[in-house]
């Protein structure tokens, strides 16, 4: 979908402009934060920022580091989250909980040994693919996959031992038969 024109009336930022506090336009379907001069400087998505918004696609900014608790809770239309360009260092508890149409998630290389919050993908019943570009497995706080069967996980093909690192990891070994090379 073609990204819609974004105006400052569509959102609320923190005083320093670094945190998206709340998305206010409930009719927005596609958001490209990276192509907006103001939003591309955002480093954090605040708690419950997209609550009750029926957005289908979001391109998150490359400087994004933190996705807050319940940031996309109940975004029932969103199908894909791509953090491959973001510098994410944490995904909060229940960040994508209840996103029933979410099929694919790509986590950035910067998620090395970083937290994926409790119930981050809880009840994301359509989640099929989780691509993790990090060479070392992020760690789970609680159960990120509560209420769903494990998605197929793709990890970098090189170096050769990355897949073994994931499969042997104390938290990821439960998903071992679902882990494959990209």
């Amino acid at each position: 979908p073609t990204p819609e024109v974004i105006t400052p009336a569509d959102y609320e930022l923190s005083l320093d402009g670094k945190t998206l506090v709340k998305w206010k336009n409930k009719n927005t379907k596609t958001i490209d934060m990276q192509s907006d001069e103001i939003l591309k400087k955002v480093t954090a998505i605040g708690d419950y920022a997209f609550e009750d918004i029926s957005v289908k696609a979001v391109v998150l900014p490359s400087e994004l580091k933190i996705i807050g608790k319940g940031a996309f809770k109940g975004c029932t239309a969103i199908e894909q989250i791509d953090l491959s360009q973001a510098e994410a260092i944490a995904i909060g508890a229940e960040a994508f909980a209840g996103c029933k149409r979410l099929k694919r998630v790509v986590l950035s290389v910067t998620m090395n040994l970083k937290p994926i919050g409790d119930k981050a993908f809880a009840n994301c019943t359509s989640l099929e693919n989780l691509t993790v570009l990090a060479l070392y497995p992020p760690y789970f706080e609680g159960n990120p996959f509560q209420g769903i069967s494990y998605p197929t996980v793709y990890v970098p093909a090189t170096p050769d031992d990355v897949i073994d690192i994931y499969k042997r990891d104390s938290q990821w070994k439960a998903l071992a038969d679902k882990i494959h090379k990209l």
Side-chain angles (χ1 to χ4, degrees):
T2 310
E4 299 165 40
V5 175
I6 297 170
T7 69
D10 291 336
Y11 56 83
E12 176 188 339
L13 294 179
S14 58
L15 291 175
D16 67 1
K18 297 289 187 187
T19 300
L20 175 69
V21 176
K22 184 88 184 140
W23 194 267
K24 298 198 243 176
N25 184 342
K26 297 201 181 299
N27 300 316
T28 309
K29 298 297 177 214
T30 59
I31 302 168
D32 185 348
M33 293 177 71
Q34 184 59 32
S35 70
D36 183 273
E37 286 305 312
I38 297 166
L39 294 177
K40 74 179 186 183
K41 296 180 176 115
V42 165
T43 59
I45 304 291
D47 293 354
Y48 308 103
F50 287 95
E51 190 172 44
D52 303 322
I53 307 292
S54 58
V55 67
K56 282 189 183 293
V58 179
V59 175
L60 296 166
S62 62
E63 298 196 15
L64 186 71
K65 296 193 182 337
I66 296 168
I67 297 172
K69 178 178 181 174
F72 291 88
K73 204 150 144 231
C75 281
T76 53
I78 201 156
E79 295 179 1
Q80 179 169 322
I81 298 286
D82 188 342
L83 292 168
S84 61
Q85 301 305 306
E87 298 176 5
I89 56 168
I91 295 176
E94 301 176 27
F96 304 103
C99 295
K100 302 233 180 268
R101 290 200 181 130
L102 185 61
K103 289 185 180 126
R104 188 164 181 261
V105 176
V106 181
L107 299 182
S108 66
V109 69
T110 56
M111 284 295 296
N112 280 312
L113 307 173
K114 301 295 189 268
I116 298 177
D118 187 34
K119 302 183 187 106
F121 301 105
N123 302 315
C124 292
T125 50
S126 297
L127 188 60
E128 298 167 357
N129 294 335
L130 175 65
T131 300
V132 187
L133 300 175
L135 298 181
Y136 296 97
Y139 66 90
F140 301 157
E141 293 176 331
N143 180 5
F145 304 104
Q146 184 174 315
I148 63 169
S149 51
Y150 291 129
T152 301
V153 177
Y154 294 97
V155 298
T158 56
D160 284 340
D161 62 344
V162 172
I163 194 163
D164 296 324
I165 290 170
Y166 274 82
K167 287 184 176 191
R168 285 196 310 261
D169 182 84
S170 62
Q171 293 181 315
W172 289 83
K173 68 183 173 192
L175 292 85
D177 59 335
K178 296 270 199 174
I179 300 174
H180 304 279
K181 289 183 179 183
L182 267 177

